[in-house]
Amino acid sequence: MKVVVRAPSNIAFIKYWGKKNEKLRIPANSSISMNLSDAYTETSVEFKKILSDDLVIIDGKKIDGKEKERIGRHLNLIRKMARINFFAEVLSKNNFPKGAGIASSASGFAALTLAGVKAAGLNLSEKELSVLARLGSGSACRSIPDGFVEWKKGSKSSDSYAYSLKSPEYWDIRDIIVVVGEKSKKVGSTEGHKEATSSPFYKARISEMDKKIADIKLALKNKDFTKFGRIVEEEAINMHTVMMTSKPPLFYWLPKTLEIMQSITTWREAGLETYFTIDAGPNIHVICRSKDVRKVKTKLEKIQGVKKIIINRVSKGARIVK
Amino acid sequence: MKVVVRAPSNIAFIKYWGKKNEKLRIPANSSISMNLSDAYTETSVEFKKILSDDLVIIDGKKIDGKEKERIGRHLNLIRKMARINFFAEVLSKNNFPKGAGIASSASGFAALTLAGVKAAGLNLSEKELSVLARLGSGSACRSIPDGFVEWKKGSKSSDSYAYSLKSPEYWDIRDIIVVVGEKSKKVGSTEGHKEATSSPFYKARISEMDKKIADIKLALKNKDFTKFGRIVEEEAINMHTVMMTSKPPLFYWLPKTLEIMQSITTWREAGLETYFTIDAGPNIHVICRSKDVRKVKTKLEKIQGVKKIIINRVSKGARIVK
């Protein structure tokens, strides 16, 4: 049986950086995100008796080496649960550039998880799917449930999962991805996570996390955009400064990233209320209210060096397409 | 009596950010710097019976308001020590752009201190001069002694002063200032210092300072350029990330700043061993060995947007010119 799944990427408002358990991808702190309507992966999985190895094609390119191994290990988890031993044909397409700070591993592993599980004939709960997706790529667990999501750090594998805080319809805020670099990252986030604890600021960061999570959940509950945005921006800077002070330092920002961050601050001072966040890559995510989307887009289009603008609504999580 | 003094600006390798005593400018940590041969202030001071107020002219412009008050308060300290009550004529010239991250307050208050003290007929020790300069602007105390300097934080005003660790001739390293912005800072460092403790990372920063000071003094003693440079660069990033995580956030970097930081990393990976540091402003200080100056300069000149390049040797401290 071939199953096709579409899974959204997600943008974290409270970030995931550093793990309590490396192998099981149990994070040092809980995180909060929204799923993205216009940055997604579509993946089909079919287990086939005829195959002598997993066949993985992403964006039309046959995948080998470490990337394929990681996917193979994830398929093994599914094969083990379903007690099947066929190899799989995995066809996957991203509608956004890979490895540039839009979490392709999040949408990718969420889609692979749901498609693989269904193709293997398993019936898992949303929570079980989220746990399984997490084992493939931490932030993938947040792309399983709908809308605004909390990934509870948990204390063991079975209770470290994401669930929906609010549906996509709850609050119409937008995430405008501003692509300024399409290069694959020098240091991927899996490697980056290992370095997190080498920052002298890491402990102080982690010690504030419970409060930040509580604060942003309250802002979300109250639809308090100003409070929400301030927390989001402060948190993005906090994570990136932990990265910059790691040993060796990790710099994900490009000069253009900093330019746009500073533009957003200037726009805000002039009355256009937007905030930024940035994942482990150079691209900016501009968070704004739906009423301001057009204005923000016009401003962004005028900035030289902006390669692509992707406007996202809040989206459902991973779902079967056919 | 009119006295003319030339005082160097200095670049801190281990930075001063945050105070233990606001009014007395006693710093939270000791710092290490080198005096700069080609970024200096020349100031003449003359106490004149005829004047009905202090007259301060900096770079040809009569100074009023807060800046003049600050200088007036500093002159008051000198008048009180010398028991004179004449106003002063202060003529001052910087050979570099003001308020752009080259410490004009450091060279300015060091020059004012020595010129004022001499013009008032006082005879102070280097330590006393350094203490007095510190009361005008913290980092000015480091522009009094020669060469490589340590500002010992001390515990009270009289023991918070700078002294020479090594003479200018000890080690021929260079500081190349790359001016990328000449705009006066939005937030001056006096205001910035007050914000330091609002960063969640400030405590962790301060707790590491004694070790950093010991490490860099050892690298200086051994003339271990690699170790020295690594500490310098790490420390600059550390201070700026504390600034960025202050409330409100302080961003001194421009996109061009980040571009040059990343160029330096690339050059280093290709074998040209240079390191950067950055003060509370957008300009980059490239630290290199004397043998590499020409190569670095050529590379810097090719970068669009570089407004000025100032090559500094290690300099003597404040001295009387006539």
Side-chain angles (χ1 to χ4, degrees):
Chain A
M1 188 172 63
K2 178 174 172 174
V3 179
V4 187
V5 163
R6 179 183 289 189
S9 181
N10 67 73
I11 178 70
F13 298 126
I14 305 298
K15 307 286 192 185
Y16 155 51
W17 194 247
K19 298 174 193 175
K20 208 156 57 184
N21 182 313
E22 182 57 37
K23 207 185 147 222
L24 295 175
R25 299 176 191 272
I26 298 176
N29 60 273
S30 299
S31 53
I32 304 276
S33 64
M34 97 179 210
N35 284 318
L36 303 176
S37 63
D38 287 77
Y40 54 81
T41 302
E42 233 175 66
T43 299
S44 72
V45 176
E46 189 172 6
F47 292 98
K48 287 176 157 177
K49 202 174 174 179
I50 199 177
L51 292 171
S52 58
D53 192 6
D54 291 321
L55 173 69
V56 181
I57 294 173
I58 301 181
D59 292 331
K61 210 187 129 212
K62 189 166 175 281
I63 301 300
D64 282 308
K66 277 196 178 175
E67 206 178 348
K68 196 199 134 207
E69 273 170 41
R70 187 172 167 189
I71 290 165
R73 279 198 303 276
H74 201 61
L75 291 166
N76 287 343
L77 294 176
I78 295 169
R79 281 187 277 252
K80 204 174 157 191
M81 291 171 89
R83 291 181 191 141
I84 56 175
N85 53 16
F86 298 160
F87 287 105
E89 184 180 279
V90 177
L91 307 175
S92 190
K93 263 170 53 182
N94 297 304
N95 79 328
F96 53 84
K98 232 180 112 193
I102 306 177
S104 65
S105 64
S107 53
F109 276 94
L112 179 69
T113 300
L114 180 56
V117 159
K118 289 292 174 186
L122 289 165
N123 210 351
L124 300 187
S125 69
E126 185 183 274
K127 177 177 165 179
E128 288 166 328
L129 284 166
S130 180
V131 166
L132 185 54
R134 191 202 77 231
L135 293 168
S137 172
S139 57
C141 75
R142 293 190 309 238
S143 289
I144 297 289
D146 289 345
F148 295 94
V149 164
E150 177 176 10
W151 173 8
K152 290 170 81 75
K153 62 181 174 189
S155 56
K156 56 184 190 296
S157 185
S158 59
D159 66 2
S160 183
Y161 70 99
Y163 69 100
S164 180
L165 283 171
K166 296 288 178 191
S167 73
E169 296 74 29
Y170 172 74
W171 196 19
D172 189 13
I173 62 169
R174 306 294 171 93
D175 173 55
I176 306 180
I177 308 176
V178 188
V179 177
V180 298
E182 308 208 12
K183 275 191 304 192
S184 270
K185 293 178 269 182
K186 257 199 207 170
V187 179
S189 30
T190 299
E191 287 70 45
H193 276 286
K194 291 181 198 162
E195 274 191 34
T197 54
S198 72
S199 164
F201 301 152
Y202 181 69
K203 269 190 200 158
R205 167 174 169 76
I206 294 300
S207 74
E208 287 191 328
M209 277 308 193
D210 287 348
K211 186 177 182 316
K212 265 195 214 177
I213 293 274
D215 287 349
I216 203 167
K217 281 165 82 171
L218 185 64
L220 180 63
K221 191 182 161 205
N222 296 336
K223 298 184 184 174
D224 182 340
F225 186 67
T226 301
K227 198 170 170 199
F228 188 86
R230 282 188 190 151
I231 297 169
V232 166
E233 212 171 275
E234 195 181 296
E235 160 63 1
I237 296 169
N238 183 300
M239 179 182 74
H240 279 268
T241 55
V242 165
M243 291 165 163
M244 289 178 202
T245 50
S246 294
K247 286 155 198 173
L250 276 178
F251 276 81
Y252 286 107
W253 296 351
L254 295 174
K256 194 53 73 174
T257 313
L258 188 57
E259 181 189 325
I260 297 174
M261 287 162 65
Q262 292 173 346
S263 297
I264 288 167
T265 307
T266 308
W267 301 343
R268 194 164 61 228
E269 285 165 0
L272 179 59
E273 194 177 3
T274 61
Y275 299 89
F276 62 77
T277 185
I278 310 165
D279 266 352
N283 300 325
I284 305 274
H285 292 247
V286 187
I287 311 300
C288 69
R289 293 186 179 101
S290 55
K291 71 173 177 67
D292 291 323
V293 167
R294 198 177 293 249
K295 241 185 266 178
V296 175
K297 188 169 175 265
T298 306
K299 282 188 177 289
L300 288 169
E301 281 167 347
K302 282 184 193 145
I303 298 175
Q304 229 189 346
V306 168
K307 295 187 177 156
K308 204 172 178 177
I309 295 171
I310 304 168
I311 301 173
N312 294 279
R313 294 169 181 267
V314 188
S315 165
K316 282 187 181 306
R319 57 209 179 273
I320 296 167
V321 176
K322 67 180 176 200
Chain B
M1 188 173 60
K2 178 173 172 175
V3 179
V4 186
V5 164
R6 180 183 288 191
S9 182
N10 66 74
I11 179 69
F13 299 126
I14 305 297
K15 308 286 192 182
Y16 155 51
W17 193 247
K19 297 174 194 175
K20 209 155 57 183
N21 183 313
E22 182 59 37
K23 205 183 150 222
L24 295 175
R25 298 178 193 272
I26 299 176
N29 59 273
S30 299
S31 53
I32 304 276
S33 64
M34 97 178 210
N35 284 319
L36 303 176
S37 63
D38 287 77
Y40 54 81
T41 301
E42 234 176 66
T43 299
S44 72
V45 176
E46 188 172 7
F47 292 97
K48 288 176 155 177
K49 200 174 174 179
I50 199 178
L51 291 172
S52 59
D53 191 5
D54 291 321
L55 173 69
V56 181
I57 294 173
I58 301 180
D59 292 330
K61 210 186 130 211
K62 188 166 176 281
I63 299 299
D64 282 308
K66 278 194 175 174
E67 205 177 347
K68 196 198 135 209
E69 275 171 39
R70 187 173 167 188
I71 290 164
R73 279 197 304 275
H74 200 62
L75 291 166
N76 287 344
L77 294 175
I78 295 168
R79 281 187 277 252
K80 204 173 157 192
M81 290 170 89
R83 290 181 193 143
I84 57 176
N85 54 15
F86 298 159
F87 288 104
E89 185 179 276
V90 178
L91 307 175
S92 189
K93 262 170 54 181
N94 297 304
N95 78 328
F96 52 84
K98 231 181 113 195
I102 304 176
S104 65
S105 64
S107 53
F109 276 95
L112 180 69
T113 299
L114 181 57
V117 159
K118 289 292 172 187
L122 290 165
N123 211 351
L124 300 186
S125 68
E126 184 184 275
K127 177 176 166 180
E128 289 166 326
L129 285 167
S130 180
V131 166
L132 185 54
R134 192 202 77 231
L135 293 168
S137 173
S139 56
C141 75
R142 293 190 308 239
S143 289
I144 297 289
D146 289 345
F148 295 93
V149 164
E150 176 176 10
W151 174 7
K152 291 170 81 74
K153 63 182 173 188
S155 56
K156 56 184 191 294
S157 185
S158 60
D159 66 1
S160 182
Y161 70 100
Y163 69 100
S164 180
L165 283 171
K166 298 286 178 191
S167 74
E169 296 75 29
Y170 173 73
W171 196 20
D172 189 13
I173 61 169
R174 306 293 172 95
D175 173 55
I176 306 180
I177 308 176
V178 188
V179 178
V180 297
E182 308 208 13
K183 274 191 302 191
S184 270
K185 294 177 269 184
K186 256 198 207 170
V187 179
S189 32
T190 299
E191 287 71 41
H193 276 287
K194 292 182 198 162
E195 274 191 33
T197 54
S198 71
S199 163
F201 301 152
Y202 182 68
K203 269 190 199 159
R205 168 174 168 76
I206 294 300
S207 73
E208 287 190 329
M209 279 308 196
D210 287 347
K211 185 176 182 319
K212 266 195 214 175
I213 294 273
D215 287 349
I216 202 166
K217 281 165 81 171
L218 185 63
L220 180 64
K221 192 183 161 205
N222 296 335
K223 298 184 184 175
D224 181 341
F225 186 65
T226 301
K227 198 172 169 197
F228 188 85
R230 281 187 189 153
I231 298 169
V232 166
E233 212 172 275
E234 194 180 298
E235 160 62 2
I237 296 170
N238 184 300
M239 179 181 74
H240 279 269
T241 56
V242 166
M243 292 164 162
M244 288 179 203
T245 50
S246 294
K247 287 155 198 173
L250 276 178
F251 275 84
Y252 286 108
W253 297 352
L254 294 174
K256 196 53 75 177
T257 313
L258 188 56
E259 182 189 325
I260 297 173
M261 288 163 66
Q262 293 173 347
S263 297
I264 289 166
T265 306
T266 308
W267 300 343
R268 193 164 62 228
E269 284 165 0
L272 179 60
E273 194 177 3
T274 61
Y275 298 90
F276 62 77
T277 185
I278 310 165
D279 266 353
N283 300 327
I284 305 274
H285 292 247
V286 187
I287 311 299
C288 68
R289 292 186 180 101
S290 55
K291 70 174 178 67
D292 291 323
V293 166
R294 198 178 292 249
K295 242 185 265 178
V296 175
K297 187 169 176 265
T298 307
K299 282 187 177 287
L300 288 169
E301 281 167 347
K302 282 185 193 145
I303 298 176
Q304 227 190 347
V306 167
K307 295 187 175 154
K308 203 172 180 179
I309 294 170
I310 305 168
I311 301 172
N312 294 280
R313 294 168 181 267
V314 188
S315 165
K316 283 189 183 302
R319 57 210 179 272
I320 296 166
V321 176
K322 66 181 175 199

